[in-house]
């Protein structure tokens, strides 16, 4: 090969290499253009992510208030302690280099001072201050690429100050951090726990109103975006930004703390008296607006400690026979906790029983298929056409000949079954839907259950018959009280709700709830007639007499339903649900209360015993609070309760004058100038005309001078006379014989046989015990 040919080869190779370089350079330029021009924003964000650190600022969660702005849920300060393992590792590497340099220079003393590793220093001190495991801190310090590792999630202010003191003493500002937090706090502990709900460890709502309105309450978290160099040090940067947190809105509810407390007192009373296996629950609702004034379940739980079982459920766990900390034990504990949290008023279904008869009656009267004066006959059972087995009335020996009005008042099953036949399956199903039972009531709480009812084409004669008196289908308490309110308020079906409004952090109203009327289901005239029938049932005759409240016209309906999930050996149901719904005042209803007792274990499990008296006691306390004044009949005025007043310090003449003015009978013992003592004491309530106040002048009160007689089972008149004859004063509460006979003493405040000073007051509780519904 000649020199020229060699040159030609090299020339060609050079051209190829040059061309390759040109192509590669072109590709690089193209890629740089793509990165720096076309995709500039994308790669800029990648760089920012590499050199910036984002720290969240928690937004303050909004408060929850009752209708009078009493705080039901709020926030309290706490602090979280966390470390930055990446910064700890950087310092440890720096310290290691410094120790090597000191050793090289021969300064071994100074080297020993630097010998403790940063992680050990932090672990040793924080484990003592926070009472946490040393090894756990060491392990979290080893996660060297992390900037945030929690050491303790919640500490109080005193502990926080100790941590900050430790940080400053050792210059650990970049390695150990304290973050301010806002924890949820419920001032009333258990009050309205089923409705209010609670938040989780992350501060988000997990139950009740806290969950339903979580978005509104939460707000928007703020952000600190700071630039860091490769060693984690702060450095100036254009992208360092602060986005301020936006606090959540506060929720104003329709709950009234005073009404709520009154309801819970009565639920606790029947819970103790009836000893139910499956809790008790109650709802109070404004019948015109749908506002829920109170909602409660007993046994309940402490909102500030929701994961701890109450005594009832803890006893179930303790007596389960399961070994602690086994999988089966922990599973049962979880199930019991969920059951304890369950809002019985909203999320659980039950057979409403005879309280539903109000709805059947409203259908029939509205359609005109029955008049309140129409005659029926109850023989104790009724044979539905085409069915071989008679369906019994709760009064198995029968009510005899009754009008429709009386049949509803006496809660007669045969009267309601025959009425349902007149209504017919198609119309019954349509009205059932019109009253809201085929849809959810729409309450602003999570987990509302939908009524379980027959399909329209499956509502045969037997299904229609038992449905007429509230059996063999299941609904929720909130649905039942919503439909009863529709009957009470003139026929309008309203949406039940707990929200009244929302306000921002400055107290400015941003939302106000307006009453939602879905439709008119029955006429006002039908509503007025039903109210009249139910009022008469309480005041004059019928099975609802334990709802009676002196001075008020209460509409009431009791109910007792069977639970068919569990049967005895003969296939019969032995578990009951006792309930009562009541509303007042009858001439212009404002509020309704529904109390349900699930599986009472007392001797008398009827709703007239386990629920009605407690509805009455609730109404007696709440109606005056709501500004609804009593209107007494002459008979009621003669038996009102009165305060005996204080006579101590008066002269005998002054005492006689005061007694005469107040209508009290007194007896003065002693010859002193002034009254020095009295029995009963000032402030004691007695029934008018049933008290003798013993006044003493310069004499000690005789001890154990009267033996209290046994008046259980007696009528009010008999019991009062027996106690008065024994030299005692009387305070009568509960149902009375006004308008109807049959109420007897079921409780006396002082046990029979107890010796007390003469004149002492004995409170007797009256109740109708012959009701079987």
């Amino acid at each position: 090969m000649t020199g020229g040919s060699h040159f030609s080869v090299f020339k060609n190779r050079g051209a190829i290499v040059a061309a390759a370089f040109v192509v590669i350079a072109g590709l690089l330029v193209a890629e740089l253009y793509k990165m720096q021009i076309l995709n500039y924003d994308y790669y800029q964000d990648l760089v920012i992510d590499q050199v910036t650190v984002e720290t969240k600022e928690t937004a303050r969660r909004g408060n929850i208030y009752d209708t009078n702005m009493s705080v039901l849920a709020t926030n309290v300060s706490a602090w979280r302690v966390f470390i930055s393992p990446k910064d700890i590792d950087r310092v440890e590497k720096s310290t290691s280099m410094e120790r090597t340099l000191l050793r090289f220079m021969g300064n071994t003393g100074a080297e020993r001072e630097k010998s403790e590793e940063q992680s050990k220093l932090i672990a040793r001190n924080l484990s003592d201050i926070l009472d946490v495991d040393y090894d756990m801190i060491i392990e979290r310090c080893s996660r060297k690429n992390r900037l945030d590792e929690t050491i303790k999630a919640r500490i109080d202010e005193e502990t926080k100050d100790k941590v900050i003191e430790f940080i400053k003493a050792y210059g650990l500002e970049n390695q150990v951090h304290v973050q301010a937090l806002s924890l949820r706090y419920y001032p009333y502990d258990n009050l309205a726990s089923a409705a209010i709900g609670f938040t989780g460890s992350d501060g988000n709502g997990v139950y009740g109103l806290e969950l339903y309105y979580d978005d509104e309450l939460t707000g928007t978290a703020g952000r600190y975006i700071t630039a860091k160099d490769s060693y984690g040090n702060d450095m100036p940067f254009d992208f360092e930004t602060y986005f301020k947190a936006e606090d959540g809105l506060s929720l104003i509810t329709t709950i009234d703390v005073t009404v709520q407390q009154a309801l819970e007192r009565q639920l606790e009373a029947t819970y103790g008296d009836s000893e139910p296996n499956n809790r008790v629950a109650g709802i109070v609702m404004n019948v015109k607006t749908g506002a829920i004034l109170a909602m409660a379940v007993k046994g309940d739980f402490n909102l500030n400690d929701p994961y701890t079982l109450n005594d009832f459920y803890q006893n179930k766990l303790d007596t389960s026979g399961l070994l602690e900390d086994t999988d089966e034990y922990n599973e049962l504990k979880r199930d019991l906790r969920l059951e304890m949290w369950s809002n019985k008023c909203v999320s659980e279904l039950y057979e409403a029983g005879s309280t539903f008869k109000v709805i059947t009656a409203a259908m029939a009267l509205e359609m005109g298929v029955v008049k309140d004066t129409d005659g029926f006959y109850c023989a104790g059972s009724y044979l539905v056409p085409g069915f071989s087995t008679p369906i019994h009335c709760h009064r198995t020996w029968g009510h005899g000949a009754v009008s429709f009005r009386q049949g509803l008042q006496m809660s007669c099953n045969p009267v309601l079954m025959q009425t349902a036949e007149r209504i017919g399956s198609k119309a019954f199903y349509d009205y059932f839907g019109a009253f809201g039972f085929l849809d959810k009531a729409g309450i602003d709480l999570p987990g509302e259950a939908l009524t379980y009812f027959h399909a329209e084409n499956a509502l045969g004669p037997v299904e229609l018959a038992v449905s007429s008196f509230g059996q063999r289908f299941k609904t929720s308490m909130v649905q039942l009280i919503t439909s009863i309110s529709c009957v009470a308020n003139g026929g309008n079906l309203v949406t039940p709700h707990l929200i009244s409004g929302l306000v921002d952090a400055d107290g400015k109203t941003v939302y106000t709830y307006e009453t939602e009327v879905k439709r008119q289901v029955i006429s006002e005239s039908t509503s007025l007639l039903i109210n009249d029938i139910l009022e008469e049932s309480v005041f004059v005759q019928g099975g609802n007499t334990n709802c009676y409240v002196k001075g008020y016209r209460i509409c009431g309906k009791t109910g007792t339903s069977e639970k068919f999930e569990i049967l005895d050996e003969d296939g019969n149901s032995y578990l009951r649900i006792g309930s009562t719904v009541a509303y007042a005042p009858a001439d212009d209803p404002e509020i309704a209360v529904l109390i349900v007792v699930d599986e009472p274990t007392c001797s008398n499990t009827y709703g007239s015993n386990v629920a009605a008296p407690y509805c009455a006691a609730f109404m007696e306390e709440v109606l005056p609070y709501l500004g609804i004044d009593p209107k007494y009949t002459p008979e009621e005025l003669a038996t009102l309760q009165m305060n005996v007043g204080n006579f101590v310090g008066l002269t005998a003449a002054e005492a006689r004058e005061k007694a005469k003015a107040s209508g009290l009978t007194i007896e003065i013992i002693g010859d002193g100038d002034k009254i020095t003592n009295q029995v009963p004491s000032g402030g004691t309530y007695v029934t008018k005309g049933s008290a003798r106040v013993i006044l003493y002048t310069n004499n000690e009160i005789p001890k154990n001078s009267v033996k209290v007689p046994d008046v259980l089972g007696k009528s009010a008149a008999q019991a009062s006379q027996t106690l008065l004859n024994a030299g005692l004063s009387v305070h009568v509460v509960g149902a009375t014989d006004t308008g109807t006979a049959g109420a007897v003493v079921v409780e006396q405040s002082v046990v029979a046989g107890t010796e007390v000073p003469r004149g002492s007051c004995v409170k007797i509780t009256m109740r109708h015990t012959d009701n079987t519904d």
Side-chain angles (χ1 to χ4, degrees):
M1 181 179 293
T2 64
S5 55
H6 279 293
F7 177 75
S8 176
V9 171
F10 286 126
K11 185 177 180 180
N12 290 336
R13 287 177 178 173
I16 293 171
V17 170
F21 274 116
V22 169
V23 171
I24 292 171
L27 291 172
L28 286 173
V29 169
E31 188 63 25
L32 287 171
Y33 178 81
K34 180 180 177 182
M35 292 174 65
Q36 295 202 19
I37 304 299
L38 298 180
N39 294 331
Y40 173 81
D41 292 338
Y42 170 75
Y43 287 104
Q44 182 189 52
D45 289 342
L46 286 181
V47 172
I48 290 171
D49 287 342
Q50 294 290 327
V51 301
T52 61
V53 174
E54 180 176 300
T55 304
K56 286 189 176 181
E57 177 191 28
T58 305
R60 182 178 176 84
R61 190 173 180 85
N63 290 340
I64 299 178
Y65 297 100
D66 89 332
T67 190
N68 299 311
M69 298 305 289
S70 295
V71 177
L72 301 176
T74 188
N75 308 289
V76 294
S77 296
W79 291 266
R80 178 177 75 102
V81 178
F82 67 98
I83 59 173
S84 172
K86 187 170 184 178
D87 287 301
I88 293 172
D89 180 61
R90 177 178 58 80
V91 172
E92 286 186 338
K93 287 178 179 178
S94 174
T95 305
S96 176
M97 294 174 62
E98 190 175 346
R99 288 203 310 269
T100 301
L101 180 60
L102 289 170
R103 190 184 307 117
F104 177 77
M105 296 173 63
N107 193 344
T108 55
E111 179 200 346
R112 281 194 295 272
E113 291 178 4
K114 299 282 186 180
S115 63
E116 183 174 26
E117 294 180 6
Q118 195 85 348
S119 57
K120 292 180 179 178
L121 170 71
I122 291 170
R124 178 169 56 82
N125 283 275
L126 288 185
S127 63
D128 289 340
I129 297 171
L130 303 177
D131 191 25
V132 295
D133 183 62
Y134 173 91
D135 293 332
M136 179 272 288
I137 301 176
I138 290 294
E139 190 278 326
R140 295 191 180 180
C141 286
S142 68
R143 302 173 185 178
K144 298 180 180 180
N145 291 322
R146 302 274 295 170
L147 289 169
D148 187 334
E149 284 291 330
T150 297
I151 301 301
K152 193 161 187 176
R154 305 285 187 270
I155 62 171
D156 58 26
E157 187 170 7
E158 182 180 354
T159 306
K160 178 262 296 183
D161 292 340
K162 292 179 181 179
V163 174
I164 290 177
E165 184 179 348
F166 162 64
I167 292 171
K168 290 180 177 178
Y170 289 91
L172 300 172
E173 285 80 1
N174 288 329
Q175 294 93 56
V176 182
H177 305 273
V178 177
Q179 180 187 21
L181 300 172
S182 182
L183 295 183
R184 208 61 167 161
Y185 173 68
Y186 305 91
Y188 292 97
D189 291 331
N190 293 50
L191 191 77
S193 57
I196 297 171
F198 54 91
T199 59
S201 58
D202 59 359
N204 294 323
V206 296
Y207 184 69
L209 289 170
E210 292 276 28
L211 173 58
Y212 194 91
Y213 289 106
D214 189 53
D215 290 342
E216 290 81 1
L217 291 165
T218 298
T220 304
R223 293 180 296 156
Y224 292 99
I225 302 176
T226 56
K228 300 280 186 179
D229 62 18
S230 60
Y231 295 101
N233 296 314
D234 292 337
M235 66 178 189
F237 199 79
D238 288 342
F239 294 98
E240 184 169 330
T241 311
Y242 168 57
F243 296 94
K244 185 179 180 181
E246 294 182 13
D247 292 341
L249 299 174
S250 288
L251 172 66
I252 302 173
T253 71
T254 56
I255 293 172
D256 187 313
V257 164
T258 300
V259 178
Q260 181 75 34
Q261 290 171 330
L263 175 65
E264 296 203 15
R265 275 192 289 273
Q266 296 310 315
L267 293 183
E268 286 168 357
T270 188
Y271 187 81
D273 294 342
S274 60
E275 298 182 338
N277 286 328
N278 198 18
R279 303 187 294 167
V280 302
I283 306 177
V284 181
M285 180 171 165
N286 183 309
V287 301
K288 296 176 179 177
T289 67
I292 302 297
L293 306 184
M295 177 182 286
V297 179
K298 298 290 179 182
D300 52 6
F301 57 95
N302 188 335
L303 289 171
N304 292 307
D305 188 20
Y307 291 89
T308 297
L309 294 176
N310 62 32
D311 292 343
F312 178 80
Y313 286 106
Q314 186 61 51
N315 182 63
K316 277 191 172 185
L317 183 63
D318 293 341
T319 58
S320 66
L322 299 175
L323 293 176
E324 193 170 349
D325 291 332
T326 61
D327 290 343
E328 293 83 1
Y329 179 94
N330 292 330
E331 182 178 0
L332 176 60
K333 188 174 184 179
R334 284 192 298 271
D335 291 344
L336 291 174
R337 188 182 288 141
L338 290 172
E339 186 178 327
M340 180 180 72
W341 290 342
S342 174
N343 188 341
K344 198 172 189 68
C345 301
V346 174
S347 301
E348 297 183 21
L349 299 176
Y350 78 112
E351 296 194 27
S354 294
T355 55
F356 183 80
K357 290 175 181 176
V358 177
I359 306 302
T360 303
M363 296 179 190
L365 290 169
E366 181 68 15
M367 290 177 64
V369 297
V370 70
K371 297 184 180 67
D372 66 313
T373 55
D374 285 358
F376 292 82
Y377 187 81
C378 170
S381 64
Y382 180 68
L383 185 61
V384 177
F387 192 55
S388 59
T389 304
I391 300 175
H392 289 281
C393 185
H394 66 90
R395 188 182 176 108
T396 54
W397 58 96
H399 290 100
V402 294
S403 67
F404 177 78
R405 170 183 286 263
Q406 293 170 325
L408 179 58
Q409 292 172 342
M410 296 176 180
S411 202
C412 179
N413 287 351
V415 169
L416 271 295
M417 287 188 280
Q418 294 173 64
T419 300
E421 288 179 0
R422 298 187 188 185
I423 296 171
S425 293
K426 175 67 167 63
F428 189 96
Y429 190 87
D430 290 343
Y431 267 105
F432 192 83
F435 273 109
F437 287 99
L438 298 179
D439 300 300
K440 292 182 178 181
I443 191 170
D444 46 346
L445 282 173
E448 182 186 349
L450 182 64
T451 298
Y452 183 78
F453 192 62
H454 310 280
E456 184 174 6
N457 59 7
L459 192 61
V462 175
E463 291 78 14
L464 177 62
V466 294
S467 294
S468 72
F469 54 86
Q471 288 272 199
R472 296 305 179 98
F473 72 88
K474 291 185 176 183
T475 191
S476 67
M477 288 179 62
V478 70
Q479 188 69 266
L480 193 280
I481 198 171
T482 299
S483 65
I484 293 292
S485 295
C486 174
V487 173
N489 70 19
N492 293 317
L493 186 68
V494 295
T495 300
H497 61 278
L498 283 150
I499 185 173
S500 176
L502 294 168
V503 296
D504 63 19
D506 297 322
K508 181 181 177 182
T509 300
V510 298
Y511 172 76
T512 300
Y513 181 87
E514 299 291 339
T515 299
E516 179 185 356
V517 178
K518 295 179 179 177
R519 55 186 165 270
Q520 181 153 2
V521 182
I522 60 174
S523 65
E524 187 174 355
S525 60
T526 298
S527 171
L528 291 172
L529 181 54
I530 292 284
N531 294 350
D532 180 64
I533 294 172
L534 296 181
E535 177 203 352
E536 188 178 62
S537 172
V538 169
F539 190 66
V540 178
Q541 68 168 357
N544 309 300
T545 46
N546 282 330
C547 291
Y548 171 78
V549 178
K550 193 174 295 185
Y552 290 99
R553 302 299 169 258
I554 309 291
C555 300
K557 186 69 194 76
T558 60
T560 307
S561 59
E562 298 174 287
K563 298 184 74 170
F564 292 95
E565 295 90 341
I566 302 176
L567 304 177
D568 61 20
E569 295 178 354
D570 298 323
N572 298 316
S573 169
Y574 62 93
L575 297 177
R576 299 288 186 270
I577 298 175
S579 64
T580 296
V581 62
Y583 54 90
D587 58 346
D588 186 18
E590 289 287 339
I591 66 165
V593 58
L594 170 64
I595 291 179
V596 173
V597 182
D598 198 345
E599 298 180 21
T601 59
C602 54
S603 58
N604 185 340
T605 60
Y606 290 109
S608 57
N609 180 65
V610 300
Y614 307 93
C615 285
F618 168 81
M619 288 292 197
E620 185 175 25
E621 180 178 354
V622 168
L623 289 175
Y625 166 75
L626 295 177
I628 301 172
D629 296 326
K631 299 175 182 178
Y632 299 106
T633 65
E635 295 83 2
E636 289 174 330
L637 283 171
T639 58
L640 286 179
Q641 70 173 13
M642 60 181 300
N643 191 320
V644 298
N646 184 25
F647 288 83
V648 174
L650 300 180
T651 65
E654 290 170 337
R656 291 189 183 94
E657 188 66 28
K658 179 174 180 177
K660 181 179 179 181
S662 57
L664 279 172
T665 300
I666 64 171
E667 179 181 343
I668 300 177
I669 298 176
D671 56 4
D673 295 331
K674 291 188 176 183
I675 308 301
T676 58
N677 224 323
Q678 70 179 75
V679 179
S681 61
T684 301
Y685 281 93
V686 296
T687 297
K688 192 174 181 181
S690 299
R692 177 181 292 273
V693 182
I694 312 299
L695 305 179
Y696 296 88
T697 62
N698 298 332
N699 289 325
E700 292 295 324
I701 300 175
K703 303 296 183 183
N704 305 325
S705 58
V706 174
K707 183 175 287 188
V708 176
D710 184 359
V711 295
L712 294 177
K714 296 181 181 294
S715 68
Q718 292 170 335
S720 296
Q721 193 60 53
T722 300
L723 292 168
L724 284 170
N725 291 343
L728 298 168
S729 297
V730 188
H731 182 199
V732 183
V733 298
T736 73
D737 289 344
T738 300
T740 180
V744 297
V745 179
V746 295
E747 182 181 350
Q748 59 185 80
S749 62
V750 184
V751 177
T754 304
E755 292 188 352
V756 297
R758 194 160 65 94
S760 297
C761 182
V762 177
K763 182 168 75 172
I764 57 174
T765 302
M766 309 303 300
R767 190 171 297 175
H768 292 268
T769 59
D770 57 345
N771 294 333
T772 55
D773 192 37

